[in-house]
Amino acid sequence: MDYRHELSRLIDIDGVSREEIEKLITVPKESDNGDFCLPCFRFAGLLKKSPVVIAKELAETITASDTADFLSNVEPKNGYLNFYLDKSDFNRRILKKVLSEGDAYGASDEGRGRTVCIDYSSINIAKPFHIGHLMTTVIGAALYRLYKFLGYNAVGINHLGDWGTQFGKLIVAYKKWGDEKDLENRGIRTLLDIYVKFHKCAETDDSLNDEARRWFKRIEDGDPEAVALFDKFKEVTMKEVDRTYKRLKVSFDSYAGESFYNDKMQPVIDELQEKGLLCDSDGAKVVDLSAYNMPPCLILKADGATLYATRDLAAAFYRKKTYDFYKCLYVVAYQQNLHFKQWFKVVELMGYDWYKDLEHVAFGMVSMEDGAMSTREGKVVFLEDVLNRTVEKARAVLDEKSQTLENKDEVAEVIGVGAVVFSALYNSRIKDVVFSYDRVLSFEGETGPYVQYTHARCTSVLSRAEITENVDYSALDNPDAVAVVKAIAAFPDALSDAVRKYEPCYVARSVMAVCQAYNKFYFEHRIIDAAEPQRNAMLLLTKATKQVIKTGLTLLGIAAPDKM
Ligand code: ARG
């Protein structure tokens, strides 16, 4: 039942449409003021009456009608019309809805016919998949699942950083110091080591840089040896990265990265030229953005080489043509704010209205509690190491607290990885965060393990008694139970909000609210010992809670264990 819609049907005001009324109905900040309210100030001019009188008259008409059996009270107050839902009716409706819809509770088709491209994770080949990639990977993947759940056609794109002169350097380094066995065993770490070594040596021996340029040119020209090595670096990186993607339950529909656009930039460059947007700047070609208070957007270097922005422009045109997107999101750290502002502007100056559909979904930085996180000094924190260490710590907790648990390794994996993901998705994305193993793993704070534990608690409660037909919903006529149902009822709106603001934290927070309300209920009320009809109502509440936690966690990419 859509309460706003039903409420709007109770109200007749000449000259105001149902839709308008529906839009005006909101949830009051204070629960003392009802479950919904209609501010009457807007109608004062039209009806030539004060809002106080309007609210009073509307309340009288509704109270006199018998169509409002889902309300317990309607009360005019200070120019507002406050609606109080009949709690038993509300509880019954919401629980029935959740339990009949099951895994589809919260899903919708609001996005039907719309395609959303999401560019996320977008790692760099031969570079570490480090803690800095955590946010883009899990925020992007959560948005991807959310869009799908709301009926959109989502396209997940890993815009691989697989182009640039560094590949020439890597080939030189690999040929000098590389070892196939070592590369197989240590993967990206080997590539990182020889890359660092290259830079050290090139400081004193500039001929290495010339050699690297020649090798890069050979990749560009399609020389078989050069391409084979380039492909090998890519393969090694992807193999390693896929391991982490699997653990994070992250996948992509396309891995079209920077190199994919090698042959797709020229038409864009030509068009920029034709439209008179390219200027010369010391031999380089740029789009002047001084009128918009931005530095110029670099399109071609003096030696004719293309840039990061050139590739992003070509990619945007390719995506528009291929997917005809409704929106194209870029889940990338706020450090790249300027880059996106610049080339979005270029698309606008080219005269394409869809520049408005390009969206930089920026997020803050993750640093480690002990201060480790500097790529330059080689103090890289690999995401895989963070996951391993969190899982190890989760395993130690299980050894201590859950001695009889059977599949401890599996559960530790799910708790450890889930803890990291949940912590990344719990705060508004733009915030910088400091990662702490102890904090993300705490079973008491607002954490992944706390949510998973609540899910396991629901499973355990449900395993102790069977639900029969004989249900007395009045067992839920108390503020603790109503609070759980209210939190459950708010879940679908949290999903739409999350998508509208590109903020998966709305989902995480909604799930947290359900858990907190349920745990309060659980500690204050005896479920299993109650008489059958009352117990059944409480078990149904437990079942609906479990459902919402499971759906929420799944959308965030986190497993919901039944035991832990
Ligand atoms: N590979 C880039 C980096 O690690 C991120 C790419 C983001 N996507 C894009 N279309 N620019 O910084």
Side-chain angles (χ1 to χ4, degrees):
M1 165 155 172
D2 179 346
Y3 282 106
R4 283 190 187 93
H5 183 69
E6 290 305 314
L7 290 169
S8 74
R9 289 160 53 103
L10 300 173
I11 294 157
D12 250 326
I13 302 175
D14 268 349
V16 186
S17 72
R18 281 269 144 74
E19 288 75 40
E20 251 173 275
I21 292 176
E22 193 176 329
K23 272 198 204 121
L24 285 171
I25 294 174
T26 58
V27 176
K29 286 216 172 59
E30 312 267 318
S31 62
D32 288 356
N33 289 331
D35 301 296
F36 290 97
C37 70
L38 175 71
C40 298
F41 309 95
R42 289 267 189 100
F43 318 128
L46 181 74
L47 301 178
K48 301 202 169 49
K49 284 181 201 165
S50 79
V52 173
V53 173
I54 298 171
K56 185 166 160 282
E57 289 179 0
L58 286 173
E60 280 161 8
T61 334
I62 295 171
T63 314
S65 85
D66 56 1
T67 48
D69 56 358
F70 63 97
L71 294 176
S72 66
N73 193 15
V74 186
E75 202 179 68
K77 190 171 165 191
N78 305 332
Y80 285 87
L81 184 59
N82 295 340
F83 302 98
Y84 296 80
L85 299 180
D86 178 294
K87 293 301 176 304
S88 314
D89 179 83
F90 171 73
N91 288 340
R92 199 165 352 107
R93 274 178 210 270
I94 298 293
L95 294 187
K96 281 214 167 115
K97 184 173 165 66
V98 178
L99 297 173
S100 68
E101 292 181 6
D103 284 339
Y105 176 66
S108 80
D109 62 353
E110 68 174 62
R112 200 177 32 210
R114 289 174 168 169
T115 296
V116 176
C117 293
I118 312 171
D119 180 321
Y120 60 103
S121 200
S122 301
I123 48 135
N124 300 318
I125 296 301
K127 294 262 181 72
F129 187 15
H130 59 75
I131 183 81
H133 294 109
L134 173 65
M135 295 289 253
T136 170
T137 305
V138 300
I139 292 172
L143 290 174
Y144 178 77
R145 294 184 209 95
L146 280 162
Y147 273 109
K148 283 202 159 172
F149 202 57
L150 299 188
Y152 292 82
N153 174 32
V155 184
I157 304 172
N158 197 332
H159 186 77
L160 299 175
D162 58 0
W163 201 247
T165 46
Q166 75 268 26
F167 292 102
K169 297 178 185 173
L170 266 176
I171 292 182
V172 173
Y174 187 69
K175 287 177 82 76
K176 279 198 189 314
W177 310 296
D179 174 272
E180 193 154 357
K181 272 261 139 20
D182 187 51
L183 180 62
E184 230 138 73
N185 292 335
R186 294 176 55 248
I188 296 172
R189 289 167 218 248
T190 299
L191 295 175
L192 186 63
D193 286 351
I194 59 171
Y195 190 65
V196 169
K197 191 160 176 185
F198 177 93
H199 277 272
K200 270 230 170 75
C201 297
E203 271 171 24
T204 51
D205 179 2
D206 198 41
S207 74
L208 284 173
N209 284 317
D210 293 332
E211 212 180 316
R213 266 189 288 275
R214 280 196 297 276
W215 273 107
F216 182 59
K217 181 84 176 50
R218 285 172 70 173
I219 304 177
E220 287 188 295
D221 295 342
D223 168 84
E225 188 189 354
V227 171
L229 282 168
F230 172 75
D231 286 345
K232 184 163 189 72
F233 300 151
K234 202 160 162 172
E235 188 194 306
V236 164
T237 308
M238 289 319 292
K239 197 172 124 206
E240 196 168 323
V241 165
D242 276 339
R243 222 161 47 209
T244 302
Y245 284 149
K246 249 206 197 90
R247 296 175 78 181
L248 295 172
K249 302 179 200 300
V250 167
S251 62
F252 301 90
D253 300 298
S254 160
Y255 287 89
E258 296 195 34
S259 71
F260 179 75
Y261 299 100
N262 279 342
D263 60 354
K264 298 178 180 61
M265 286 174 283
Q266 198 54 48
V268 182
I269 297 165
D270 292 344
E271 190 176 334
L272 284 167
Q273 187 76 283
E274 274 159 37
K275 292 188 167 161
L277 290 164
L278 279 191
C279 316
D280 229 65
S281 165
D282 295 329
K285 300 273 184 217
V286 307
V287 178
D288 176 32
L289 298 172
S290 56
Y292 311 97
N293 286 320
M294 285 189 269
C297 182
L298 238 70
I299 302 294
L300 284 175
K301 286 201 218 164
D303 64 4
T306 55
L307 290 117
Y308 184 44
T310 328
R311 286 165 198 277
D312 258 331
L313 279 167
F317 282 96
Y318 175 83
R319 289 175 194 173
K320 187 67 196 168
K321 194 175 86 218
T322 309
Y323 306 111
D324 190 24
F325 56 73
Y326 154 77
K327 269 185 179 149
C328 182
L329 313 184
Y330 297 85
V331 187
V332 185
Y334 67 61
Q335 279 92 337
Q336 295 192 27
N337 274 356
L338 179 63
H339 164 73
F340 285 101
K341 264 176 80 177
Q342 285 177 307
W343 76 259
F344 288 179
K345 193 54 149 186
V346 173
V347 177
E348 181 185 352
L349 293 174
M350 289 171 86
Y352 294 101
D353 204 35
W354 51 263
Y355 79 90
K356 293 191 194 111
D357 308 326
L358 304 170
E359 199 80 52
H360 177 204
V361 178
F363 57 83
M365 261 191 14
V366 182
S367 52
M368 301 302 284
E369 207 169 26
D370 58 6
M373 179 66 234
S374 157
T375 325
R376 242 173 257 142
E377 292 157 45
K379 277 199 299 181
V380 190
V381 180
F382 282 74
L383 183 51
E384 193 169 29
D385 293 343
V386 173
L387 295 180
N388 289 343
R389 183 142 169 230
T390 318
V391 168
E392 223 172 82
K393 283 176 174 269
R395 170 74 210 222
V397 175
L398 291 180
D399 281 339
E400 194 196 334
K401 292 194 179 164
S402 314
Q403 278 155 13
T404 56
L405 191 68
E406 274 164 23
N407 49 345
K408 276 199 203 125
D409 281 334
E410 242 168 82
V411 179
E413 167 75 13
V414 157
I415 297 176
V417 174
V420 173
V421 175
F422 193 86
S423 77
L425 295 177
Y426 195 62
N427 292 309
S428 143
R429 60 185 153 73
I430 206 67
K431 270 198 181 164
D432 287 338
V433 288
V434 179
F435 184 91
S436 145
Y437 288 102
D438 291 337
R439 195 151 11 89
V440 306
L441 272 174
S442 153
F443 278 57
E444 263 122 59
E446 295 173 19
T447 63
Y450 173 83
V451 173
Q452 289 174 323
Y453 192 78
T454 310
H455 181 267
R457 167 169 287 159
C458 292
T459 307
S460 150
V461 169
L462 291 167
S463 72
R464 301 219 298 273
E466 205 153 325
I467 304 176
T468 60
E469 297 287 316
N470 182 9
V471 185
D472 178 0
Y473 281 95
S474 74
L476 306 181
D477 285 348
N478 56 73
D480 292 332
V482 172
V484 183
V485 181
K486 271 196 158 182
I488 287 174
F491 181 70
D493 276 350
L495 303 187
S496 322
D497 287 348
V499 155
R500 203 157 34 82
K501 304 216 169 108
Y502 319 116
E503 282 282 18
C505 74
Y506 285 100
V507 181
R509 299 212 165 231
S510 176
V511 171
M512 181 58 68
V514 170
C515 291
Q516 288 173 335
Y518 180 80
N519 285 324
K520 178 157 195 304
F521 174 82
Y522 175 85
F523 284 115
E524 305 280 336
H525 302 265
R526 304 190 71 85
I527 302 177
I528 300 303
D529 302 340
E532 187 179 322
Q534 285 82 32
R535 182 177 67 209
N536 278 333
M538 292 188 270
L539 289 173
L540 289 175
L541 179 74
T542 305
K543 203 170 167 190
T545 300
K546 176 172 145 100
Q547 177 67 58
V548 172
I549 298 174
K550 164 112 181 291
T551 304
L553 286 179
T554 305
L555 288 168
L556 298 177
I558 300 171
D562 282 322
K563 277 196 184 141
M564 60 191 267

